[in-house]
Short mmCIF file of all heavy atoms in Angstrom, two decimals:
data_model
loop_
_atom_site.label_atom_id
_atom_site.label_comp_id
_atom_site.label_asym_id
_atom_site.label_seq_id
_atom_site.Cartn_x
_atom_site.Cartn_y
_atom_site.Cartn_z
N ASP A 55 -16.26 -26.88 -13.79
CA ASP A 55 -15.91 -27.49 -12.51
C ASP A 55 -16.86 -27.02 -11.41
O ASP A 55 -16.82 -25.86 -10.98
CB ASP A 55 -14.45 -27.08 -12.20
CG ASP A 55 -13.92 -27.74 -10.93
OD1 ASP A 55 -14.73 -28.15 -10.08
OD2 ASP A 55 -12.69 -27.81 -10.81
N GLN A 56 -17.72 -27.93 -10.91
CA GLN A 56 -18.69 -27.55 -9.88
C GLN A 56 -18.03 -27.20 -8.55
O GLN A 56 -18.52 -26.35 -7.80
CB GLN A 56 -19.72 -28.67 -9.68
CG GLN A 56 -20.80 -28.68 -10.75
CD GLN A 56 -21.46 -27.31 -10.95
OE1 GLN A 56 -21.92 -26.68 -10.00
NE2 GLN A 56 -21.45 -26.82 -12.18
N ASP A 57 -16.91 -27.86 -8.27
CA ASP A 57 -16.20 -27.53 -7.03
C ASP A 57 -15.73 -26.08 -7.04
O ASP A 57 -15.70 -25.41 -6.01
CB ASP A 57 -14.97 -28.44 -6.86
CG ASP A 57 -15.37 -29.85 -6.48
OD1 ASP A 57 -16.56 -30.05 -6.13
OD2 ASP A 57 -14.52 -30.75 -6.56
N HIS A 58 -15.38 -25.63 -8.24
CA HIS A 58 -14.92 -24.25 -8.32
C HIS A 58 -16.07 -23.28 -8.08
O HIS A 58 -15.91 -22.26 -7.41
CB HIS A 58 -14.24 -23.95 -9.66
CG HIS A 58 -13.57 -22.63 -9.64
ND1 HIS A 58 -12.32 -22.42 -9.09
CD2 HIS A 58 -14.02 -21.39 -10.01
CE1 HIS A 58 -12.01 -21.15 -9.15
NE2 HIS A 58 -13.02 -20.50 -9.70
N ILE A 59 -17.24 -23.61 -8.63
CA ILE A 59 -18.43 -22.78 -8.39
C ILE A 59 -18.71 -22.74 -6.89
O ILE A 59 -18.99 -21.66 -6.32
CB ILE A 59 -19.65 -23.35 -9.15
CG1 ILE A 59 -19.40 -23.36 -10.67
CG2 ILE A 59 -20.91 -22.59 -8.79
CD1 ILE A 59 -19.54 -22.04 -11.36
N SER A 60 -18.59 -23.88 -6.23
CA SER A 60 -18.82 -23.93 -4.77
C SER A 60 -17.81 -23.05 -4.04
O SER A 60 -18.16 -22.33 -3.10
CB SER A 60 -18.71 -25.37 -4.27
OG SER A 60 -19.65 -26.18 -4.93
N LEU A 61 -16.56 -23.14 -4.46
CA LEU A 61 -15.52 -22.30 -3.86
C LEU A 61 -15.88 -20.82 -3.97
O LEU A 61 -15.75 -20.04 -3.02
CB LEU A 61 -14.17 -22.55 -4.54
CG LEU A 61 -13.07 -21.54 -4.17
CD1 LEU A 61 -12.47 -21.86 -2.80
CD2 LEU A 61 -11.98 -21.48 -5.22
N MET A 62 -16.35 -20.43 -5.17
CA MET A 62 -16.74 -19.04 -5.38
C MET A 62 -17.83 -18.64 -4.38
O MET A 62 -17.79 -17.55 -3.80
CB MET A 62 -17.19 -18.81 -6.83
CG MET A 62 -16.04 -18.92 -7.83
SD MET A 62 -16.57 -18.92 -9.57
CE MET A 62 -16.87 -17.17 -9.88
N HIS A 63 -18.79 -19.55 -4.19
CA HIS A 63 -19.89 -19.24 -3.25
C HIS A 63 -19.36 -19.06 -1.83
O HIS A 63 -19.81 -18.15 -1.12
CB HIS A 63 -20.95 -20.34 -3.30
CG HIS A 63 -21.65 -20.40 -4.62
ND1 HIS A 63 -22.39 -21.49 -5.04
CD2 HIS A 63 -21.73 -19.50 -5.64
CE1 HIS A 63 -22.88 -21.26 -6.25
NE2 HIS A 63 -22.50 -20.05 -6.64
N THR A 64 -18.42 -19.89 -1.42
CA THR A 64 -17.88 -19.73 -0.06
C THR A 64 -17.15 -18.40 0.08
O THR A 64 -17.00 -17.88 1.18
CB THR A 64 -16.89 -20.86 0.33
OG1 THR A 64 -15.75 -20.80 -0.52
CG2 THR A 64 -17.55 -22.23 0.20
N ARG A 65 -16.70 -17.83 -1.03
CA ARG A 65 -16.04 -16.52 -0.97
C ARG A 65 -17.02 -15.38 -1.26
O ARG A 65 -16.60 -14.27 -1.60
CB ARG A 65 -14.85 -16.47 -1.94
CG ARG A 65 -13.72 -17.44 -1.56
CD ARG A 65 -12.36 -16.86 -1.84
NE ARG A 65 -12.22 -15.51 -1.31
CZ ARG A 65 -11.95 -15.21 -0.04
NH1 ARG A 65 -11.78 -16.17 0.84
NH2 ARG A 65 -11.87 -13.96 0.35
N ASN A 66 -18.31 -15.67 -1.13
CA ASN A 66 -19.35 -14.65 -1.34
C ASN A 66 -19.36 -14.05 -2.73
O ASN A 66 -19.62 -12.87 -2.93
CB ASN A 66 -19.21 -13.52 -0.31
CG ASN A 66 -19.60 -13.98 1.07
OD1 ASN A 66 -20.76 -14.30 1.32
ND2 ASN A 66 -18.62 -14.07 1.96
N ILE A 67 -19.03 -14.90 -3.70
CA ILE A 67 -19.12 -14.50 -5.10
C ILE A 67 -20.42 -15.06 -5.65
O ILE A 67 -20.65 -16.27 -5.57
CB ILE A 67 -17.92 -15.03 -5.91
CG1 ILE A 67 -16.60 -14.46 -5.35
CG2 ILE A 67 -18.07 -14.73 -7.39
CD1 ILE A 67 -15.34 -15.14 -5.88
N SER A 68 -21.27 -14.18 -6.18
CA SER A 68 -22.54 -14.64 -6.74
C SER A 68 -22.33 -15.11 -8.18
O SER A 68 -21.74 -14.40 -8.99
CB SER A 68 -23.56 -13.50 -6.73
OG SER A 68 -24.65 -13.84 -7.57
N THR A 69 -22.85 -16.30 -8.47
CA THR A 69 -22.76 -16.82 -9.84
C THR A 69 -24.13 -16.82 -10.51
O THR A 69 -24.32 -17.49 -11.53
CB THR A 69 -22.15 -18.24 -9.86
OG1 THR A 69 -23.00 -19.10 -9.08
CG2 THR A 69 -20.74 -18.27 -9.30
N GLU A 70 -25.05 -16.02 -9.95
CA GLU A 70 -26.40 -15.97 -10.54
C GLU A 70 -26.34 -15.53 -12.00
O GLU A 70 -27.17 -15.94 -12.82
CB GLU A 70 -27.27 -15.01 -9.72
CG GLU A 70 -28.75 -15.13 -10.03
CD GLU A 70 -29.58 -14.03 -9.36
OE1 GLU A 70 -29.11 -13.44 -8.36
OE2 GLU A 70 -30.68 -13.76 -9.88
N GLY A 71 -25.37 -14.69 -12.32
CA GLY A 71 -25.24 -14.19 -13.70
C GLY A 71 -24.36 -15.06 -14.58
O GLY A 71 -24.01 -14.65 -15.69
N VAL A 72 -24.01 -16.26 -14.09
CA VAL A 72 -23.19 -17.16 -14.90
C VAL A 72 -24.12 -18.16 -15.60
O VAL A 72 -24.73 -19.02 -14.97
CB VAL A 72 -22.16 -17.94 -14.04
CG1 VAL A 72 -21.35 -18.89 -14.92
CG2 VAL A 72 -21.26 -16.97 -13.29
N GLN A 73 -24.27 -18.00 -16.90
CA GLN A 73 -25.11 -18.93 -17.67
C GLN A 73 -24.39 -20.27 -17.81
O GLN A 73 -23.20 -20.31 -18.06
CB GLN A 73 -25.36 -18.37 -19.08
CG GLN A 73 -26.04 -17.00 -19.09
CD GLN A 73 -26.01 -16.36 -20.48
OE1 GLN A 73 -26.41 -16.99 -21.46
NE2 GLN A 73 -25.52 -15.13 -20.54
N VAL A 74 -25.16 -21.35 -17.66
CA VAL A 74 -24.58 -22.68 -17.86
C VAL A 74 -25.23 -23.32 -19.08
O VAL A 74 -26.44 -23.53 -19.11
CB VAL A 74 -24.81 -23.60 -16.63
CG1 VAL A 74 -24.12 -24.95 -16.85
CG2 VAL A 74 -24.30 -22.93 -15.36
N LYS A 75 -24.45 -23.55 -20.13
CA LYS A 75 -24.98 -24.19 -21.32
C LYS A 75 -24.58 -25.67 -21.27
O LYS A 75 -23.49 -26.05 -21.68
CB LYS A 75 -24.43 -23.50 -22.57
CG LYS A 75 -24.82 -22.02 -22.60
CD LYS A 75 -24.66 -21.40 -23.97
CE LYS A 75 -25.32 -20.02 -24.01
NZ LYS A 75 -25.13 -19.33 -25.29
N GLN A 76 -25.53 -26.47 -20.76
CA GLN A 76 -25.22 -27.86 -20.41
C GLN A 76 -24.66 -28.68 -21.57
O GLN A 76 -23.80 -29.52 -21.37
CB GLN A 76 -26.48 -28.57 -19.86
CG GLN A 76 -26.85 -28.16 -18.43
CD GLN A 76 -25.76 -28.50 -17.40
OE1 GLN A 76 -24.84 -29.27 -17.66
NE2 GLN A 76 -25.86 -27.91 -16.21
N ASP A 77 -25.13 -28.41 -22.77
CA ASP A 77 -24.72 -29.25 -23.90
C ASP A 77 -23.48 -28.72 -24.63
O ASP A 77 -23.10 -29.26 -25.67
CB ASP A 77 -25.87 -29.38 -24.91
CG ASP A 77 -27.09 -29.99 -24.25
OD1 ASP A 77 -26.89 -30.77 -23.28
OD2 ASP A 77 -28.21 -29.67 -24.67
N GLU A 78 -22.92 -27.66 -24.09
CA GLU A 78 -21.74 -27.08 -24.76
C GLU A 78 -20.53 -27.17 -23.84
O GLU A 78 -20.63 -27.56 -22.68
CB GLU A 78 -22.04 -25.63 -25.16
CG GLU A 78 -23.18 -25.54 -26.17
CD GLU A 78 -23.46 -24.09 -26.59
OE1 GLU A 78 -22.48 -23.36 -26.84
OE2 GLU A 78 -24.64 -23.71 -26.62
N LYS A 79 -19.40 -26.78 -24.41
CA LYS A 79 -18.15 -26.83 -23.65
C LYS A 79 -17.68 -25.42 -23.26
O LYS A 79 -17.95 -24.44 -23.96
CB LYS A 79 -17.06 -27.53 -24.49
CG LYS A 79 -17.31 -29.02 -24.67
CD LYS A 79 -16.33 -29.64 -25.65
CE LYS A 79 -14.96 -29.84 -25.04
NZ LYS A 79 -14.03 -30.47 -26.04
N SER A 80 -16.97 -25.38 -22.16
CA SER A 80 -16.43 -24.10 -21.68
C SER A 80 -15.28 -23.64 -22.57
O SER A 80 -14.63 -24.45 -23.24
CB SER A 80 -15.90 -24.25 -20.25
OG SER A 80 -16.92 -24.70 -19.39
N PHE A 81 -15.03 -22.35 -22.56
CA PHE A 81 -13.89 -21.75 -23.25
C PHE A 81 -12.62 -22.45 -22.79
O PHE A 81 -12.45 -22.73 -21.60
CB PHE A 81 -13.84 -20.25 -22.94
CG PHE A 81 -12.65 -19.54 -23.51
CD1 PHE A 81 -12.41 -19.48 -24.88
CD2 PHE A 81 -11.73 -18.89 -22.65
CE1 PHE A 81 -11.30 -18.82 -25.39
CE2 PHE A 81 -10.63 -18.23 -23.17
CZ PHE A 81 -10.41 -18.19 -24.54
N PHE A 82 -11.74 -22.76 -23.75
CA PHE A 82 -10.49 -23.46 -23.41
C PHE A 82 -9.31 -22.76 -24.06
O PHE A 82 -9.33 -22.43 -25.24
CB PHE A 82 -10.57 -24.92 -23.88
CG PHE A 82 -9.26 -25.66 -23.71
CD1 PHE A 82 -8.67 -25.82 -22.45
CD2 PHE A 82 -8.61 -26.20 -24.82
CE1 PHE A 82 -7.47 -26.50 -22.31
CE2 PHE A 82 -7.40 -26.88 -24.68
CZ PHE A 82 -6.83 -27.03 -23.41
N TRP A 83 -8.28 -22.51 -23.26
CA TRP A 83 -7.03 -21.92 -23.77
C TRP A 83 -5.85 -22.71 -23.27
O TRP A 83 -5.80 -23.13 -22.11
CB TRP A 83 -6.90 -20.46 -23.30
CG TRP A 83 -5.62 -19.81 -23.77
CD1 TRP A 83 -5.39 -19.28 -25.01
CD2 TRP A 83 -4.42 -19.61 -23.02
NE1 TRP A 83 -4.10 -18.78 -25.08
CE2 TRP A 83 -3.49 -18.97 -23.88
CE3 TRP A 83 -4.02 -19.92 -21.72
CZ2 TRP A 83 -2.20 -18.62 -23.48
CZ3 TRP A 83 -2.74 -19.58 -21.31
CH2 TRP A 83 -1.84 -18.94 -22.18
N SER A 84 -4.93 -22.97 -24.16
CA SER A 84 -3.72 -23.66 -23.76
C SER A 84 -2.52 -22.86 -24.24
O SER A 84 -2.50 -22.36 -25.38
CB SER A 84 -3.72 -25.07 -24.36
OG SER A 84 -2.48 -25.68 -24.14
N GLY A 85 -1.53 -22.71 -23.38
CA GLY A 85 -0.37 -21.90 -23.75
C GLY A 85 0.89 -22.34 -23.05
O GLY A 85 0.85 -23.07 -22.06
N ARG A 86 1.97 -21.92 -23.63
CA ARG A 86 3.30 -22.29 -23.11
C ARG A 86 4.10 -21.00 -22.89
O ARG A 86 4.17 -20.15 -23.77
CB ARG A 86 4.00 -23.17 -24.14
CG ARG A 86 5.43 -23.58 -23.76
CD ARG A 86 6.14 -24.26 -24.92
NE ARG A 86 5.51 -25.52 -25.29
CZ ARG A 86 5.35 -25.95 -26.53
NH1 ARG A 86 5.74 -25.20 -27.55
NH2 ARG A 86 4.79 -27.12 -26.77
N TYR A 87 4.68 -20.90 -21.70
CA TYR A 87 5.52 -19.74 -21.38
C TYR A 87 6.97 -20.07 -21.66
O TYR A 87 7.43 -21.19 -21.40
CB TYR A 87 5.37 -19.35 -19.90
CG TYR A 87 4.02 -18.79 -19.62
CD1 TYR A 87 2.95 -19.61 -19.28
CD2 TYR A 87 3.79 -17.42 -19.73
CE1 TYR A 87 1.69 -19.10 -19.05
CE2 TYR A 87 2.53 -16.89 -19.50
CZ TYR A 87 1.49 -17.74 -19.16
OH TYR A 87 0.24 -17.22 -18.93
N PHE A 88 7.69 -19.07 -22.13
CA PHE A 88 9.12 -19.24 -22.36
C PHE A 88 9.88 -18.94 -21.07
O PHE A 88 9.30 -18.55 -20.06
CB PHE A 88 9.57 -18.36 -23.53
CG PHE A 88 8.85 -18.70 -24.80
CD1 PHE A 88 7.90 -17.84 -25.34
CD2 PHE A 88 9.08 -19.92 -25.41
CE1 PHE A 88 7.22 -18.18 -26.49
CE2 PHE A 88 8.39 -20.27 -26.57
CZ PHE A 88 7.47 -19.40 -27.11
N ASN A 89 11.18 -19.12 -21.14
CA ASN A 89 11.99 -19.01 -19.92
C ASN A 89 11.88 -17.67 -19.23
O ASN A 89 11.97 -17.58 -18.01
CB ASN A 89 13.46 -19.31 -20.23
CG ASN A 89 13.73 -20.80 -20.19
OD1 ASN A 89 13.05 -21.53 -19.46
ND2 ASN A 89 14.69 -21.25 -20.96
N ASP A 90 11.70 -16.62 -20.00
CA ASP A 90 11.68 -15.30 -19.36
C ASP A 90 10.32 -15.00 -18.74
O ASP A 90 10.17 -14.00 -18.05
CB ASP A 90 12.10 -14.20 -20.34
CG ASP A 90 11.06 -13.98 -21.42
OD1 ASP A 90 10.03 -14.66 -21.43
OD2 ASP A 90 11.29 -13.10 -22.26
N MET A 91 9.32 -15.83 -18.98
CA MET A 91 7.99 -15.73 -18.38
C MET A 91 7.24 -14.47 -18.84
O MET A 91 6.12 -14.24 -18.43
CB MET A 91 8.06 -15.70 -16.85
CG MET A 91 8.41 -17.03 -16.24
SD MET A 91 7.01 -18.18 -16.40
CE MET A 91 7.51 -19.46 -15.27
N ASN A 92 7.90 -13.65 -19.65
CA ASN A 92 7.23 -12.45 -20.16
C ASN A 92 6.64 -12.69 -21.54
O ASN A 92 5.86 -11.89 -22.04
CB ASN A 92 8.20 -11.26 -20.22
CG ASN A 92 8.17 -10.46 -18.95
OD1 ASN A 92 7.22 -10.54 -18.18
ND2 ASN A 92 9.22 -9.71 -18.72
N SER A 93 7.04 -13.79 -22.18
CA SER A 93 6.47 -14.08 -23.50
C SER A 93 5.91 -15.50 -23.48
O SER A 93 6.37 -16.36 -22.74
CB SER A 93 7.55 -13.92 -24.58
OG SER A 93 8.69 -14.68 -24.25
N ARG A 94 4.91 -15.71 -24.30
CA ARG A 94 4.26 -17.02 -24.32
C ARG A 94 3.70 -17.27 -25.71
O ARG A 94 3.54 -16.34 -26.51
CB ARG A 94 3.12 -17.05 -23.30
CG ARG A 94 1.97 -16.13 -23.64
CD ARG A 94 0.91 -16.14 -22.54
NE ARG A 94 -0.28 -15.39 -22.94
CZ ARG A 94 -1.27 -15.10 -22.12
NH1 ARG A 94 -1.23 -15.47 -20.86
NH2 ARG A 94 -2.33 -14.43 -22.56
N GLU A 95 3.41 -18.52 -26.00
CA GLU A 95 2.73 -18.83 -27.25
C GLU A 95 1.43 -19.56 -26.94
O GLU A 95 1.33 -20.33 -25.98
CB GLU A 95 3.61 -19.67 -28.18
CG GLU A 95 4.03 -21.00 -27.61
CD GLU A 95 4.85 -21.83 -28.61
OE1 GLU A 95 4.74 -21.60 -29.81
OE2 GLU A 95 5.59 -22.72 -28.16
N THR A 96 0.42 -19.25 -27.74
CA THR A 96 -0.86 -19.91 -27.60
C THR A 96 -0.82 -21.22 -28.37
O THR A 96 -0.43 -21.25 -29.53
CB THR A 96 -1.98 -19.00 -28.14
OG1 THR A 96 -2.11 -17.89 -27.24
CG2 THR A 96 -3.30 -19.73 -28.24
N LEU A 97 -1.19 -22.30 -27.71
CA LEU A 97 -1.19 -23.61 -28.37
C LEU A 97 -2.58 -23.94 -28.90
O LEU A 97 -2.73 -24.45 -30.00
CB LEU A 97 -0.72 -24.69 -27.39
CG LEU A 97 0.69 -24.46 -26.79
CD1 LEU A 97 1.00 -25.48 -25.70
CD2 LEU A 97 1.76 -24.50 -27.88
#
Side-chain angles (χ1 to χ4, degrees):
Chain A
D55 184 338
Q56 280 309 307
D57 287 348
H58 190 81
I59 299 283
S60 302
L61 169 79
M62 291 171 79
H63 294 163
T64 65
R65 295 217 49 80
N66 289 294
I67 299 168
S68 165
T69 60
E70 194 188 338
V72 179
Q73 301 168 52
V74 183
K75 300 197 169 177
Q76 285 298 345
D77 301 332
E78 297 181 43
K79 290 172 76 179
S80 302
F81 175 61
F82 173 60
W83 179 80
S84 172
R86 178 189 295 141
Y87 291 88
F88 300 110
N89 275 332
D90 69 359
M91 288 288 194
N92 269 340
S93 52
R94 67 183 187 188
E95 60 177 337
T96 291
L97 302 173

